[in-house]
Amino acid sequence: MTNVEQDIDTLVKRLKDQAMLADTQDSLAIESWLWLWQQRLVPILQTQQHRLYDPRAPRLAELLSAHLDDQAFVERAYSFLMGRMPDQQGARYHSELAAREGRVATLMILLQATETQDYIKQERLELPRGLLRLNRWHRRLTALSGVCRRGLWGWKVIVNLLWRRYQQRWKEEGEFYDILVHQGQRREEYQALAITLTEMADIQQKMMTLGIALPDTSRPGASLSQAASSQAKPPIKWLSDEQAAAMIKLLRDALRGLKANHKEAP
Amino acid sequence: MKLLVTANHTPFIAGGANYHVEGLVAALRRYGHQVECLRLPFHYGETQIERQMMFAEQLDLTAPNDVLVDRVISLQFPTYGLHHHAHVVWLMHQHRVCYELYDPKQASPALAALKPQVEAFDRRHLSGAKHLFANSPRVAERLHYYNGLMAEPLYHPPHQAEHFTCGDDWGYAFYPSRLEPLKRQMLLIEAMANTRTPIKLLLTGEGSQRRQLEELIERLGLGNRVRLLGHISEQEKRTLYAHALAVAFPPFDEDYGYVTLEAMLASKPVITCTDSGGPTAFVEHGVTGWKCEPCPQALAAALDDAYAHRAQAKQMGKQGREAYYAEKISWHQVVTKLVYSE
């Protein structure tokens, strides 16, 4: 008996069984997720509208934003972390530091200043999550470096390598966000992106729990940055090759478009 | 931004409107806004309607309890009567019994007296809105026809749009909807009695017409081909879409019609009627489905056509899905228009 010829009771029973089966598979319906992400990401990446910067609640990417020059970066960081503009000496010192050591390092130094800590307490300032995460890693690595200075030279080399790797990751992630910020994303679009990224991470987590092969990194921000680079490995190995290629192509095209616009912007 | 969404509340009567309201609130929150939903109780009955209009007009939501509201988004009659300097209306439908469903021969004196009041209320408040959107071209059309007002149609996706999939067809037509006279399940069952192929029909949903429909199925001897499945889960609904040969959707003058969009997402052709309203904006006859005259014979011919030409029906379904994508229907677009239109 073919599907079409079956009697109506059998047909209804088959449909109910099928629905029950689909229900159990639903949470891992990767194709559905992929479709959803594409639906969300495409309009976000294509948008040209301007996002408003909120000085009381900036995101890490906005603090590190590459479209600011070093002086503007220092002013923004001072303004958020200390509630004032830098004096001439401070501005020069930190701008040079940012140029030499990078913005992440400069931000960490500013964050640890007594004045910053007092201001955070006094104003009950809520630090962006990205900044807290950055600070946590910075402290861990610095502590390890301290141990290494006392003679464990092999460890010191490893820690330095780790430190450099993470700096590179932050830089890539920052670059991706910078493009979005510079394109003037509106807050809600940016948040929609964040939701998408969180979902991607959640799915990866589910896959990991089930013991399915995962890429070497499960950080979605990093994955996106890597997707933009031609030498990068496909970041979404847990999809079929075809699906992964489609996703990467989508992101790469979108990023290429954004970068082109970024260069054209005055 | 602090946004207030206003709509009606009809306890224990759930339909597409509910999803529309909840979907909008969820989307606005997802996009980072502070959103509250104000739902006013709605009762049918002419005297009640008059009172509800007056109540809505007395509400000023500019700064309730000194909390400044940036924008009010109203979806339903009579909530769009309230006051706010940045009041945006995204109209689901007007009070239909005073417009396209109004029959002067059958209207009670109370309804006849209410009609001009509702029309004046609508003119006053809809013309005063900062922006006026309609949830479908059909609703915009009615607004223009009856009130001379222009509204921009603004589409939103059905609930869990990303979960719809397409499977092999199992030789049945599917119609999910409340069992109410305007949805015209009766017409479809009568059409089934006129079919020449062994196509089956599965109907889901509950409503006031259930008993009449059961009787009709029995009277026409269609018990082995037509089945009322009652209330089903979302997953069951998606499965029924996935394995349908075609989706039948012949309501009378529907506002928007999620069923059409859900069918398109599931890559299924849609059989609708020329007077079905909202669905006709999406269904292209012979390309993504059939637009028939609202009579059993025409619907039966379309059902038979789908059954006899399965490959063609499948192709139409695929074209339907492409047509859905081409419309670029998304909450992103809705939020941008409702919140940022200057």
Side-chain angles (χ1 to χ4, degrees):
Chain A
M1 186 183 281
T2 68
N3 289 335
V4 177
E5 287 159 351
Q6 63 202 331
D7 69 70
I8 198 159
D9 292 319
T10 315
L11 172 67
V12 171
K13 188 181 177 309
R14 280 195 69 192
L15 283 162
K16 295 249 176 199
D17 290 346
Q18 185 72 18
M20 205 180 290
L21 182 70
D23 220 8
T24 55
Q25 291 172 341
D26 206 32
S27 60
L28 295 174
I30 294 303
E31 277 189 38
S32 296
W33 283 105
L34 188 70
W35 187 87
L36 175 68
W37 295 334
Q38 289 189 1
Q39 288 284 305
R40 288 207 193 131
L41 284 171
V42 170
I44 291 165
L45 295 175
Q46 281 175 346
T47 188
Q48 297 288 329
Q49 287 154 345
H50 292 282
R51 172 177 185 269
L52 295 176
Y53 170 70
D54 181 354
R56 288 287 303 168
R59 280 163 176 71
L60 175 62
E62 290 173 329
L63 290 173
L64 294 172
S65 200
H67 79 274
L68 303 172
D69 60 21
D70 285 334
Q71 195 178 337
F73 154 73
V74 171
E75 282 173 5
R76 182 172 280 192
Y78 258 77
S79 162
F80 174 59
L81 293 172
M82 298 181 191
R84 68 176 175 89
M85 295 305 276
D87 53 39
Q88 209 178 353
Q89 198 185 351
R92 196 174 55 242
Y93 172 76
H94 286 107
S95 299
E96 283 169 9
L97 187 67
R100 199 174 56 246
E101 302 287 334
R103 291 184 181 185
V104 171
T106 312
L107 206 55
M108 291 303 102
I109 286 167
L110 282 171
L111 187 64
Q112 280 149 21
T114 318
E115 186 182 343
T116 304
Q117 293 303 321
D118 290 346
Y119 182 71
I120 290 171
K121 274 184 204 149
Q122 182 193 321
E123 295 293 315
R124 293 181 183 170
L125 207 60
E126 207 169 305
L127 295 177
R129 260 185 16 204
L131 184 59
L132 291 172
R133 198 178 56 188
L134 202 63
N135 188 35
R136 213 162 36 238
W137 276 105
H138 180 261
R139 273 191 282 130
R140 282 177 196 161
L141 292 169
T142 312
L144 267 175
S145 297
V147 173
C148 296
R149 269 193 212 102
R150 286 197 283 273
L152 299 169
W153 289 101
W155 273 107
K156 188 175 180 183
V157 172
I158 293 167
V159 168
N160 279 339
L161 280 172
L162 265 176
W163 178 231
R164 207 172 293 168
R165 186 171 167 217
Y166 273 98
Q167 288 243 41
Q168 183 59 25
R169 273 197 183 180
W170 286 323
K171 198 181 152 207
E172 282 172 5
E173 199 174 342
E175 185 189 8
F176 176 75
Y177 287 135
D178 278 345
I179 295 164
L180 289 177
V181 173
H182 185 61
Q183 278 302 107
Q185 295 301 302
R186 280 182 169 168
R187 179 184 292 275
E188 76 277 9
E189 288 156 354
Y190 198 57
Q191 284 181 348
L193 178 68
I195 290 165
T196 305
L197 298 181
T198 312
E199 281 173 359
M200 290 168 87
D202 284 349
I203 288 284
Q204 285 187 321
Q205 189 59 47
K206 275 185 191 167
M207 292 295 181
M208 203 185 306
T209 313
L210 291 170
I212 298 169
L214 272 170
D216 55 350
T217 171
S218 61
R219 292 171 66 249
S223 300
L224 286 169
S225 305
Q226 285 170 12
S229 150
S230 57
Q231 284 123 20
K233 288 177 192 170
I236 31 185
K237 283 179 193 164
W238 36 274
L239 300 177
S240 72
D241 287 350
E242 206 173 276
Q243 288 168 329
M247 189 76 179
I248 291 164
K249 184 178 181 310
L250 173 85
L251 290 167
R252 196 177 286 160
D253 290 350
L255 285 169
R256 197 179 294 132
L258 284 170
K259 279 180 176 167
N261 289 339
H262 178 63
K263 278 175 195 159
E264 283 166 19
Chain B
M1 281 171 92
K2 286 194 179 68
L3 304 172
L4 201 57
V5 174
T6 74
N8 292 336
H9 185 66
T10 49
F12 306 109
I13 301 177
N18 231 26
Y19 163 66
H20 191 152
V21 177
E22 286 166 12
L24 174 63
V25 170
L28 291 168
R29 286 189 180 143
R30 210 162 49 233
Y31 280 73
H33 299 289
Q34 274 181 270
V35 189
E36 299 258 342
C37 185
L38 177 68
R39 299 190 78 156
L40 304 179
F42 185 81
H43 298 276
Y44 293 106
E46 289 75 18
T47 327
Q48 300 271 19
I49 300 281
E50 212 178 317
R51 256 188 244 145
Q52 288 163 59
M53 286 194 295
M54 278 170 63
F55 179 71
E57 282 185 312
Q58 285 165 12
L59 292 175
D60 187 339
L61 295 173
T62 307
N65 301 309
D66 295 329
V67 177
L68 209 65
V69 175
D70 295 305
R71 188 164 282 209
V72 169
I73 301 167
S74 292
L75 302 176
Q76 285 174 311
F77 167 86
T79 65
Y80 47 71
L82 58 85
H83 295 278
H84 190 275
H85 63 279
H87 192 179
V88 175
V89 177
W90 185 25
L91 192 64
M92 270 189 214
H93 53 73
Q94 294 167 275
H95 191 49
R96 297 179 67 186
V97 289
C98 290
Y99 290 102
E100 76 277 10
L101 302 181
Y102 182 78
D103 181 354
K105 288 175 196 158
Q106 293 187 351
S108 66
L111 182 62
L114 180 70
K115 183 176 161 55
Q117 289 184 54
V118 170
E119 286 170 344
F121 178 91
D122 282 358
R123 269 196 304 276
R124 205 160 52 243
H125 297 294
L126 293 177
S127 62
K130 187 177 168 76
H131 291 289
L132 186 53
F133 297 98
N135 74 341
S136 74
R138 182 65 194 128
V139 172
E141 226 173 81
R142 284 188 210 139
L143 196 62
H144 183 59
Y145 180 78
Y146 293 106
N147 306 84
L149 295 170
M150 300 296 285
E152 182 185 339
L154 182 57
Y155 302 140
H156 63 288
H159 184 47
Q160 296 188 326
E162 66 279 7
H163 289 279
F164 285 86
T165 54
C166 177
D168 295 338
D169 89 70
W170 289 359
Y172 63 90
F174 175 46
Y175 184 13
S177 194
R178 281 178 294 122
L179 308 178
E180 299 296 340
L182 281 177
K183 305 294 179 185
R184 297 201 296 209
Q185 282 92 352
M186 213 164 258
L187 178 66
L188 196 57
I189 293 170
E190 283 166 3
M192 283 297 287
N194 284 274
T195 52
R196 284 170 298 184
T197 57
I199 187 168
K200 296 178 185 70
L201 173 65
L202 299 179
L203 301 131
T204 61
E206 293 289 353
S208 64
Q209 294 273 291
R210 179 154 191 141
R211 187 182 287 178
Q212 287 96 315
L213 295 174
E214 280 169 348
E215 283 168 7
L216 182 67
I217 293 168
E218 203 181 323
R219 197 168 67 243
L220 296 174
L222 291 170
N224 59 345
R225 289 177 55 217
V226 179
R227 185 64 48 92
L228 298 176
L229 298 176
H231 180 75
I232 52 166
S233 71
E234 283 296 307
Q235 184 60 65
E236 285 171 333
K237 184 178 82 175
R238 290 195 293 270
T239 305
L240 280 155
Y241 270 115
H243 294 290
L245 164 64
V247 170
F249 190 39
F252 173 71
D253 204 6
E254 185 79 7
D255 303 320
Y256 183 43
Y258 289 124
V259 175
T260 326
L261 300 179
E262 288 172 345
M264 290 164 96
L265 283 163
S267 302
K268 300 296 170 184
V270 180
I271 300 171
T272 190
C273 291
T274 47
D275 65 350
S276 287
T280 58
F282 296 103
V283 178
E284 196 178 337
H285 185 73
V287 179
T288 58
W290 293 262
K291 276 195 239 184
C292 323
E293 288 303 313
C295 65
Q297 293 74 18
L299 279 168
L303 288 164
D304 282 338
D305 196 14
Y307 193 90
H309 305 101
R310 314 283 280 264
Q312 186 195 334
K314 192 175 175 183
Q315 182 57 28
M316 280 183 174
K318 275 187 190 165
Q319 284 161 192
R321 190 165 167 114
E322 280 161 22
Y324 178 92
Y325 290 141
E327 291 284 353
K328 295 192 188 320
I329 299 169
S330 70
W331 279 114
H332 173 81
Q333 193 188 1
V334 171
V335 172
T336 306
K337 292 258 185 186
L338 293 181
V339 180
Y340 295 102
S341 294
E342 289 303 329

